[in-house]
Amino acid sequence: MNSKPKIPSIPIEGSISWEDWLKGRRYRRELSQLVAPGINRRKTSSSDRRLKKLFNGERGLPFTPTAKL
Amino acid sequence: MDAERIKSALADITAEQDPTLKSAKLASLCSALWAERGVDLVVVGGSAIEILTEGAYASGDLDMCHATKASLSVAERKEIMGLLDAKGGPRNWQVAGMYLDLLGPVESFARTPYRRIEGPYGNFLVTKPEDLLVERVLMSFYLGESKTAWKCARELAIVALAGAVNMDWNEVLRVANRPEYRNVEQCKVLVREVADELKTKNPFDSD
C-alpha cells in the first residue's frame, strides 16, 4: 500500500478542517482494525467507579460501527 | 463566546452518542473557552489516540493538559465550567454526559507541533503522535507486557504509514533515544512489523 491516502491527512503543520477530519474517520478505523481488531478499550482503570456509574456498567459509550462512520 | 452559543454547543455535545465525536466536540468547546482567557489546552492520552486513529480504545473521559505555561485559577475554572453546568472540579468534572480531567502541564519531547483540528466550536490541539507512539511502546513493556498499549502503538503506526496522519519518523527515533525512553529498537520492531503487514516501505529502512 504505497498509494496516496484516500483521505486528507492530519498534517504536522497547520490544521485539518472538521469536515476533513470527519471524512477520514472511516479510513482511520479500517486501518486500525487491520492491526488491532475489535474493541480495544481497557477493561479496567482507576476511573472505573465513576465511568461505570455514568455509562450503565460500561466504561464509555459504545463505539459507532465502522460502516456507519 | 456568547451564552447562546455555549448553550447550543452544550446541547449538541450532551446529545452526541458517538464517543469520539463527543470527546472531540467537548475538547473544541473547552479549548475555545480556555483560549479566550489565554490558556491553550491539548488533548492527551487515550482520547488523543482515538482522535488520531479511531482505534476503538478510549473510555468515557477526556484528558486534557495545558500547553501554555500558566493555567487558570481555581476561580476562573469554576466560572468557565459553571457556564457548562459541570459538576465537580477543580480538576475533574462531569460535563455533557462524560468526564473531563484537566491533568496539569503537558509533557512532550517531540519538536513537532501539536496537531490542530478546526473543531465545531473552535480549534483544538491534540498531543503529538511522535510522543504517543514512543510512550505506548514503553508502556507495552514497562510493567510487564501490555497488549493494549502495543495495539495502540500499532494503530498509531499504521495510520501514519498509510498517510492518514503525518508523522515525523526522525522525531520518533530522537524521542525514543532519550533517557526517558531508550526504546529505539522496540519502536523499530513495531514499525517494521506494521509496515510488513501493510506491505509498505519501512521509514526506518535506509534505502
Side-chain angles (χ1 to χ4, degrees):
Chain A
M1 195 185 290
N2 277 317
S3 56
K4 285 176 80 174
K6 301 171 188 172
I7 49 112
S9 300
I10 297 175
I12 294 177
E13 302 282 350
S15 59
I16 185 168
S17 72
W18 183 244
E19 292 71 25
D20 282 348
W21 179 79
L22 289 172
K23 271 185 214 162
R25 293 191 69 201
R26 183 170 182 161
Y27 183 52
R28 291 192 296 273
R29 172 72 66 75
E30 287 169 348
L31 288 166
S32 287
Q33 288 291 299
L34 287 176
V35 292
I39 304 298
N40 298 301
R41 184 178 273 163
R42 282 193 293 168
K43 300 282 185 276
T44 59
S45 80
S46 57
S47 302
D48 273 3
R49 198 168 155 192
R50 67 175 190 176
L51 290 174
K52 289 184 174 179
K53 192 175 171 189
L54 185 62
F55 297 108
N56 299 316
E58 301 295 327
R59 299 189 63 257
L61 290 168
F63 290 103
T64 302
T66 307
K68 292 188 177 176
L69 290 177
Chain B
M1 193 180 299
D2 65 42
E4 273 308 304
R5 175 85 168 136
I6 292 172
K7 190 177 167 189
S8 155
L10 195 57
D12 174 39
I13 299 166
T14 304
E16 181 61 65
Q17 291 300 300
D18 179 300
T20 314
L21 286 181
K22 197 175 182 82
S23 289
K25 288 177 176 180
L26 183 60
S28 170
L29 178 59
C30 290
S31 296
L33 294 173
W34 251 258
E36 284 177 355
R37 290 152 180 87
V39 175
D40 289 339
L41 295 181
V42 54
V43 180
V44 299
S47 311
I49 293 173
E50 195 67 42
I51 287 166
L52 295 171
T53 71
E54 299 288 341
Y57 168 72
S59 52
D61 42 14
L62 169 66
D63 291 338
M64 299 189 84
C65 289
H66 55 93
T68 31
K69 274 189 179 174
S71 186
L72 296 182
S73 68
V74 170
E76 288 170 310
R77 292 174 188 211
K78 193 174 178 182
E79 181 200 333
I80 293 177
M81 297 313 286
L83 297 172
L84 305 182
D85 292 330
K87 296 177 194 164
R91 296 182 185 85
N92 319 92
W93 295 268
Q94 186 180 328
V95 53
M98 63 181 300
Y99 285 100
L100 169 68
D101 295 334
L102 192 58
L103 301 176
V106 68
E107 184 180 75
S108 171
F109 297 108
R111 291 170 180 157
T112 46
Y114 295 107
R115 302 318 194 249
R116 183 179 294 272
I117 298 174
E118 298 166 13
Y121 308 113
N123 291 352
F124 65 97
L125 302 175
V126 180
T127 202
K128 307 160 188 180
E130 295 84 5
D131 282 319
L132 283 169
L133 177 64
V134 176
E135 187 259 351
R136 291 293 149 157
V137 170
L138 178 78
M139 294 309 294
S140 302
F141 300 101
Y142 185 68
L143 289 174
E145 193 178 342
S146 165
K147 285 183 182 167
T148 305
W150 189 251
K151 279 182 181 180
C152 285
R154 283 168 56 81
E155 289 173 347
L156 285 161
I158 197 167
V159 294
L161 288 167
V165 171
N166 289 347
M167 179 90 82
D168 184 329
W169 296 106
N170 289 329
E171 269 303 280
V172 169
L173 291 185
R174 194 189 62 78
V175 172
N177 198 36
R178 285 183 59 95
E180 292 84 354
Y181 292 108
R182 293 285 189 235
N183 60 355
V184 168
E185 286 313 309
Q186 288 166 331
C187 289
K188 282 185 173 177
V189 165
L190 180 132
V191 172
R192 186 188 313 124
E193 185 181 286
V194 175
D196 287 349
E197 288 174 40
L198 193 60
K199 297 183 173 46
T200 195
K201 187 179 182 319
N202 178 354
F204 298 141
D205 280 348
S206 49
D207 52 283

